[in-house]
Amino acid sequence: MTDLVAEARALADDLLFPAAAEVDRTGVVPRSHFDALAAAGLYGVAAPAAAGGPGLSLAELVAVIEALASGCLSTTFTWIQHHALVVGLAGTSNAGLRAKYLPALISGDLRAGVAYTGVIPTPPRVRAEPVDGGYRFDGEAPFVSGWGGIDLLQLSGRDGDTVVSVVVEPVPDPSVTAHPLDLTAAQGTATVRLDLDGYFVPADRVFAEQPYAEFVGSKTFASRLSGCVALGLAERCARLLVDAGEDQAAEALRAEQQLVRTRLDAALTDPPALPAARAAASDLAYRSAGALAAATGSRAILGGSHAARLVREATFVLVAATRPDIRAELIGLTLR
């Protein structure tokens, strides 16, 4: 494994996890957390070597995300959104946008978020209408994390069967209204709903125009990486079970982690298998948190306990970045 994996593990254990209870209590991730990730070179992990990134292997990238997720869900979930724009600009034909933003995104000098889930449903929740000089965006982007702390935003909207993706700066605009969301876990992600009412974006801010089917297909890799968050949370629960003297339970749950990890990797070449693999990851995180709560006993219902927080965060993982097919698999697992 590379130094970046070691850096991620050290940050998770020495910085993120010790502060996780306080982040949960206040609902705020300290800016210093993100600065530490940038100083360690972790904002460019998704960038290929040809674009100036480290060119990590899949195993290394998975290890980085799992490590950080074992430390603090709010920090990791906010940070992971950044990489969608890194990947998008690394592959864009818009050389001007790539040159202007990509190096600073890789270094972490600029930090990004995403607003693309609104294009997945049909009819879409976010529409992009061609107008003179660019596009007009209308609709509702339901979950946008990092609001108030990010420098750039990937905004996507549907123009018929085409998904239009642009880079914008999330600054006050009369046609954009942000509504903060009250989350039961990971409140530190600073997640909002964006209402877009005739938001104009110039054509030179467009970095991708893709057929809808191609856009959805391109999210297979991102969906696999979302499973890392669940596995990172599951591993933290396993480590705390060891601390509680429940070594046998921890060993059994870790064996499941490896099985799920293998299923997630295999699904990259067999996309129809991905929903079941993603569901298995979230289910494992939820059961791991439940086992930790049981091992902790009555202290698990006290505010500020790791067990109480991890149960709520495991619930977050059940629904974050899911699709109807993953949800159906999860319900099926529950019924079985």
Side-chain angles (χ1 to χ4, degrees), residues 174-195:
S175 56
V176 179
T177 306
H179 302 274
L181 301 180
D182 185 15
L183 307 180
T184 59
Q187 184 67 14
T189 57
T191 299
V192 302
R193 184 190 81 238
L194 290 184
D195 289 343

Side-chain angles (χ1 to χ4, degrees), residues 208-304:
E209 294 174 286
Q210 298 170 272
Y212 173 73
E214 178 183 308
F215 178 86
V216 173
S218 71
K219 300 309 171 192
T220 297
F221 188 69
S223 185
R224 187 268 173 264
L225 295 183
S226 294
C228 298
V229 177
L231 289 178
L233 191 152
E235 171 57 20
R236 180 58 63 178
C237 292
R239 292 174 67 174
L240 292 173
L241 280 166
V242 171
D243 293 344
E246 297 291 344
D247 297 60
Q248 187 174 358
E251 183 180 352
L253 291 169
R254 280 176 166 152
E256 283 198 63
Q257 287 179 35
Q258 187 52 50
L259 290 173
V260 170
R261 193 175 293 113
T262 300
R263 290 178 64 185
L264 286 166
D265 287 344
L268 287 174
T269 55
D270 182 20
L274 185 58
R278 274 288 314 283
S282 296
D283 176 68
L284 176 58
Y286 195 66
R287 288 187 291 108
S288 298
L292 177 62
T296 303
S298 58
R299 289 178 292 113
I301 62 172
L302 297 177

Side-chain angles (χ1 to χ4, degrees), residues 13 60 75 113 130 143 150 220-221 241 257 280 289-290 305 307 319:
D13 290 341
E60 291 168 330
T75 303
F143 291 97
I150 53 177
T220 297
F221 188 69
L241 280 166
Q257 287 179 35
S305 75
V319 299

